[in-house]
Amino acid sequence: MWNYSEKLKDHFYNPRNVGIIENPDGVGEVGSLACGDALKLMIKLDEKGMISDAKFQTFGCGSAIASASALTEMIIGKTLEEAEKITNRDIADYLDGMPQEKMHCSVMGREALEAAIANYRKVDVGKKEEGEIVCQCFGITDTEIIRAVRENGLTTVEQVKNYTKAGGGCETCHPKIEALIALAQGEQKQEVPREVPAPKKRLSNIQKMKLVEETLEREIRPALKADGGDIDLIDMDGNRVFVALRGMCSSCPSSGFTLEKYVEGKLRELVSEDIVVVEVKS
Amino acid sequence: MKEVYADNNATTRVAPEVKEAMLPFFEDLYGNPSSMHHFGAQVEKHLIYAREQVASLLNADPEEIVFTSCGTESDNAAIHGTLASYPEKRHIVTTKVEHNAVLHYCRHLQKNGYKVTELAVDRLGRLNLDELQNSLSDDTAIVSIMYANNETGVVFPIEQIGQIVKDRGIVFHTDAVQAGGKIPLNLSTLPVDFLSLSGHKLHAPKGVGVLYIRKGTRFSPLLIGGHQEHGRRAGTENVPYIVGIGKACELAQSYMEEERIRIGNLRDRLEIELLKSIPKARVNGDQGNRLPNTLNISFESVEGESILLLLSKEGIGASSGSACTSGSLEPSHVLRAMGVPFNAIHGSVRFSLSRYNTEGDISYIIEKLPSIIGRLREMSPFWSALS
């Protein structure tokens, strides 16, 4: 059982500002279903550029909900310039600290805030574009890792995992993370050793998975539902996307046709050219 | 506040009778059973009796019972002991849904040059026995397949599996940590060479386990440095705990028939009522082939840790396969192997009952859970996208 502070528990049991703002001025969405946590932050500004309202929806553990709740309390009444200065550590401190293993929840809060502000300013920051993906499993870039190390004074791979999730899956990126820690701590100007120069445009597994999820949700599911069917994303392995058809779709004799021509086509168009859809039978 | 403990696959409370049986061994009966004096001798007879109690639950010979420190040690010892006895064989067969005591040990061996086959399961958590058959070769040293799954309660057809493995003359180990004391295990007919049990899963304390080793099975011990357990496990016997697991096995045997039905009915009622009162819920695992005490149920679009914390606030203890509760960042390997969608894995909750659970407990969970799920769904972006 996590050792949560009383204040964190209070924000989890009684979260502030849960909900939706109609016509928000800025929206930030981070995380994904596959990762196990996600946060959607909506902000409203008054005529003086002050954040007059903030609301959130979240899918996540106790500390994710508490971090989002705390964040909204912290930013309401602040100007964007003031809000921008909030770090993940500020969120954690506001909650009287949180377990090391859960610090990535505070980072998710800060990322959602940045995304909402960027959305308001109509800047497409595309944060993943800024750096190079280091952790393929969770899609974390070197920029994000260095930032977390600097802002929080991290010294070990384990800490980086707690704060960013990087290195929490297959662990093959651990040497790279170590090099990044050394770089950030020494504030050296030299380049991080990059054994394999990763192509910029390539999507990490988790980015791809997130895109697939979104595409299924927005483009494909509504169409299937109109015919009394549904679709579930089961898993992904490289470019192969495993899905199961539900309801009318699962018994429809033309479902093979539906899958190939429709789902795969959409995913290839909107996610990646090389996607192969595999139907999993119940 | 009412308290309901429904996490008995994680651990169980020590039965009062077990505690009573153990107490004298913290007081007057402190001798070392190996000693050549009456202090030792009066303790040794209790060790013998405990071995008989365990053997009786398994319908085995007392000589086939080895006491260990926990289920993990039993699992490791069975695999290690076999590999050391057949150094020329370099292949191990197991499943993707094993407990980590087997799975991670096998992956550790894989890094050290062994070949490991992890058998897949279907959507209901069932094995394909043809795949098992095809995986076996002359190089296979041991097959290790669990009796019942800790997360879903799915029971594997161990008799059939054992037959397939034994027909090929290969050593067969089954991790029966979850099955032991819950369903009948008859080792006089079951084609199994090694079987693991854990004390704290059947109302004995933590820190004691059992490894059944069929007579005539080649074995090489993990712990070396003493003659104890007929040279199969060195180290002075943990007498109080061994007495405890002996008593716990005796109780499990006497309660089994009656409790299996009663607990099964409680579980079924919980399942039916939750499915009825909570939309977008699904049961994980083969409903026709489960331990009577286990219910693994998923609630779409909500996250497991949040559910558990809100349940705990109401006094209810359960567990989840979500990433946040696994101690790592990955969600349950069992539910993933079964192809449960992410939306349902993260919102999975396992209720596991014991003979101490009552109808009142079930009513209480049924009363509290729907509003907890509803509350979390109200704040979930995925739920509002669905509805």
Side-chain angles (χ1 to χ4, degrees), chain A:
Chain A
M1 183 99 180
W2 303 111
N3 189 10
Y4 285 143
S5 72
E6 286 308 313
K7 193 159 180 194
L8 192 152
K9 281 191 224 167
D10 178 47
H11 275 268
F12 167 63
Y13 292 132
N14 311 295
R16 286 45 151 188
N17 307 309
V18 174
I20 292 172
I21 295 179
E22 298 295 337
N23 306 316
D25 293 314
V27 181
E29 285 184 78
V30 293
S32 92
L33 200 53
C35 295
D37 46 22
L39 171 59
K40 180 176 183 181
L41 177 71
M42 288 145 277
I43 54 173
K44 191 88 188 159
L45 303 183
D46 64 14
E47 60 283 355
K48 280 174 278 173
M50 188 118 75
I51 298 174
S52 58
D53 197 10
K55 289 210 185 301
F56 75 93
Q57 287 186 307
T58 190
F59 163 82
C61 58
S63 52
I65 292 174
S67 294
S69 167
L71 175 69
T72 55
E73 291 278 277
M74 290 167 78
I75 61 174
I76 293 174
K78 282 199 168 68
T79 63
L80 287 188
E81 290 67 33
E82 289 166 338
E84 262 181 321
K85 295 201 180 78
I86 292 173
T87 64
N88 72 286
R89 181 139 293 266
D90 294 332
I91 299 172
D93 288 346
Y94 184 89
L95 292 169
D96 295 338
M98 58 174 68
Q100 286 297 306
E101 295 86 344
K102 292 289 191 175
M103 285 301 285
H104 59 86
C105 295
S106 68
V107 173
M108 185 168 77
R110 193 253 295 146
E111 285 176 353
L113 174 61
E114 279 175 3
I117 293 174
N119 174 257
Y120 165 72
R121 292 178 176 153
K122 307 285 178 258
V123 193
D124 184 15
V125 284
K127 75 178 176 77
K128 302 287 178 183
E129 302 295 314
E130 284 175 7
E132 179 189 312
I133 303 271
V134 173
C135 167
Q136 294 290 340
C137 298
F138 288 98
I140 313 295
T141 64
D142 52 359
T143 320
E144 290 171 275
I145 293 169
I146 288 176
R147 179 163 180 185
V149 170
R150 283 185 184 150
E151 286 185 357
N152 298 285
L154 309 183
T155 54
T156 65
V157 174
E158 188 63 24
Q159 285 176 324
V160 169
K161 186 167 97 184
N162 291 337
Y163 279 69
T164 66
K165 288 195 176 185
C170 71
E171 305 189 349
T172 51
C173 63
H174 283 193
K176 255 187 181 177
I177 296 178
E178 272 172 19
L180 287 169
I181 295 170
L183 175 83
Q185 280 176 337
E187 298 292 348
Q188 297 154 0
K189 293 282 176 277
Q190 78 197 49
E191 271 288 284
V192 187
R194 286 173 180 171
E195 311 89 57
V196 195
K200 281 269 177 198
K201 278 290 177 188
R202 224 184 109 218
L203 292 165
S204 73
N205 291 341
I206 211 77
Q207 284 174 299
K208 202 185 271 181
M209 187 145 9
K210 199 179 161 193
L211 255 181
V212 168
E213 269 173 8
E214 287 171 1
T215 309
L216 284 178
E217 200 60 56
R218 284 181 197 148
E219 303 284 334
I220 298 169
R221 183 167 282 141
L224 295 182
K225 277 196 166 170
D227 289 333
D230 204 350
I231 189 165
D232 270 331
L233 173 62
I234 304 294
D235 210 339
M236 279 191 62
D237 183 8
N239 61 343
R240 298 200 301 158
V241 176
F242 297 88
V243 299
L245 291 176
R246 308 284 184 219
M248 296 297 280
C249 293
S250 59
S251 54
C252 172
S254 67
S255 66
F257 174 80
T258 312
L259 265 181
E260 288 235 348
K261 297 295 173 218
Y262 187 71
V263 181
E264 197 167 87
K266 275 282 177 202
L267 291 178
R268 283 183 175 178
E269 176 193 334
L270 297 167
V271 182
S272 174
E273 273 295 312
D274 60 357
I275 295 253
V276 179
V277 171
V278 182
E279 187 189 352
V280 182
K281 295 276 185 193
S282 300

Side-chain angles (χ1 to χ4, degrees), chain A residues 1-2 4 12-13 15 18 33-34 36 57-62 65 102 169 209 233-235 246 281-282, chain B residues 123 301-303 305-306 309-310 313 324 329-330 336 339 341-343 346 375-376 379-382 384 386:
Chain A
M1 183 99 180
W2 303 111
Y4 285 143
F12 167 63
Y13 292 132
V18 174
L33 200 53
Q57 287 186 307
T58 190
F59 163 82
C61 58
I65 292 174
K102 292 289 191 175
M209 187 145 9
L233 173 62
I234 304 294
D235 210 339
R246 308 284 184 219
K281 295 276 185 193
S282 300
Chain B
R123 296 180 64 77
S301 305
V302 288
E303 197 280 328
E305 185 196 299
S306 293
L309 292 174
L310 292 175
K313 193 161 177 262
C324 282
L329 293 168
E330 303 269 0
R336 278 198 82 171
F342 280 113
N343 196 13
H346 288 294
R375 197 179 138 187
L376 291 171
M379 64 171 96
S380 167
F382 301 120
S384 58
L386 271 182

Side-chain angles (χ1 to χ4, degrees), chain B residues 24-39:
Chain B
F25 299 87
F26 294 107
E27 292 160 2
D28 302 331
L29 298 172
Y30 54 80
N32 186 326
S34 300
S35 298
M36 287 300 144
H37 43 60
H38 67 282
F39 296 97

